[in-house]
Amino acid sequence: MILVTGGAGFIGANFVLDWLAQSDEPVVNLDKLTYAGNLENLASLQGDARHVFVQGDIGDGALVALLLAQHRPRAVVNFAAESHVDRSIHGPEDFIQTNIVGTFRLLEAVRAHWGSLDEAGQAAFRFLHVSTDEVYGSLAPQEPAFTEQHRYEPNSPYSASKAASDHLVRAYHHTYGLPVLTTNCSNNYGPYHFPEKLIPLMIVNALAGKPLPVYGDGMQIRDWLYVKDHASAIRRVLAAGKLGEVYNVGGWNEKPNIEIVKTLCALLDELRPRADGKSYREQITYVKDRPGHDRRYAIDARKLERELGWKPAETFESGIRKTVQWYLANPEWVAHVQSGAYRDWVQKQYS
Ligand code: NAD
Ligand code: TYD
């Protein structure tokens, strides 16, 4: 079996669902269930003996040691993190605790467990660390996309904490020989995406008749990948990645934010037209920019394609349509995540 951390969050849950749709290899899922963790994402696995959920913190060394000893997974896939840049600006502390200290404690527990395995067990074991393109900083308009050789230049407390965790993972390979793999992926979108991030926030606000808050001039560029393509890339790296290596994951879909918002408006105009016959575009509102806002991210994913034969299955057009359709088909999920805590966040960030 494998141990997944953060598997009740957006990407982790999609990964677990896809993993169990494609194989019968069980998953132990360790998640703290912060505001971003949601067992409803995993509702379709209820009663499925292949999925064992454990609520807990990756920073709890004793708990992780117990889970490793009990279940003896052949791999750990680490999704657990605080993941929202705007929240890291309001309060970096949780990011330091989970992303840096938590990853360190997880690595320590995994190192001790790995050290206790026999030779064959050690050779087969993998620790896959899921990271982000944001560790590479911001690109100028004409600069080539980030390769794995790009220097680390994180600009937000979020990206700095992820960069620190990447360095720890690398060091555990070089110093202790821990069999690690790291993936650095571009912005994901798709089902179960918490509506604090750009794409789900815009869909949810549009349908609620609320303003669509575009930061600054809306010309910041992100490189978008459908979440299930990220899951397939992680499966591929886990199966065939070279130990100690880093793989960039992306779909060659660079888009300015305003174009994303207009695309979402056009899809909603088609699939769920406003009662007054006007376009959702009417709701677009330019608001104060994010402090230190990175201008452009772009991922060069050629290493993953060349060495491991991975390619995304979705185009941006097919993926974004599926995403909008998913939100339209799942109003209960949306209503449930918009709890009191969610409303407090929206008030703090957008008032
Ligand atoms: P998310 O915020 O939706 O989910 C994070 C999950 O981790 C939640 O279920 C939360 O409860 C859990 N968690 C948080 N702290 C924990 C702790 N201390 N112990 C155990 N569980 C904890 O995040 P996401 O968007 O699914 O991102 C998952 C990973 O992928 C993160 O490491 C993130 O940095 C990385 N990543 C995200 C994106 C993106 O576009 N969302 C892109 C590239 C990489
Ligand atoms: P986000 O989804 O928070 O991801 P990240 O900051 O990790 O890339 O934001 C994506 C882009 O959208 C980013 O440039 C900030 C911008 N954005 C807005 O313009 N308005 C919003 O309300 C949000 C949440 C983001």
Side-chain angles (χ1 to χ4, degrees), residues 181-200:
L181 298 156
T182 299
T183 54
N184 291 87
C185 189
S186 58
N187 283 59
N188 285 213
Y189 66 98
Y192 306 111
H193 204 181
F194 193 76
E196 64 183 357
K197 306 276 171 69
L198 178 75
I199 288 178

Side-chain angles (χ1 to χ4, degrees), residues 197-270:
K197 306 276 171 69
L198 178 75
I199 288 178
L201 183 103
M202 294 297 166
I203 298 172
V204 165
N205 277 18
L207 293 170
K210 292 185 181 157
L212 306 180
V214 174
Y215 297 165
D217 63 2
M219 291 307 290
Q220 302 81 9
I221 292 172
R222 297 293 181 265
D223 188 351
W224 295 94
L225 183 70
Y226 191 60
V227 65
K228 287 176 186 300
D229 281 326
H230 189 187
S232 78
I234 292 170
R235 285 199 306 274
R236 186 70 198 128
V237 172
L238 190 59
K242 269 202 243 140
L243 295 188
E245 293 278 316
V246 172
Y247 296 90
N248 282 356
V249 186
W252 303 98
N253 281 309
E254 283 186 63
K255 311 260 182 219
N257 293 337
I258 188 65
E259 191 183 318
I260 298 284
V261 176
K262 288 181 176 167
T263 300
L264 292 170
C265 289
L267 281 165
L268 288 168
D269 287 341
E270 175 198 329

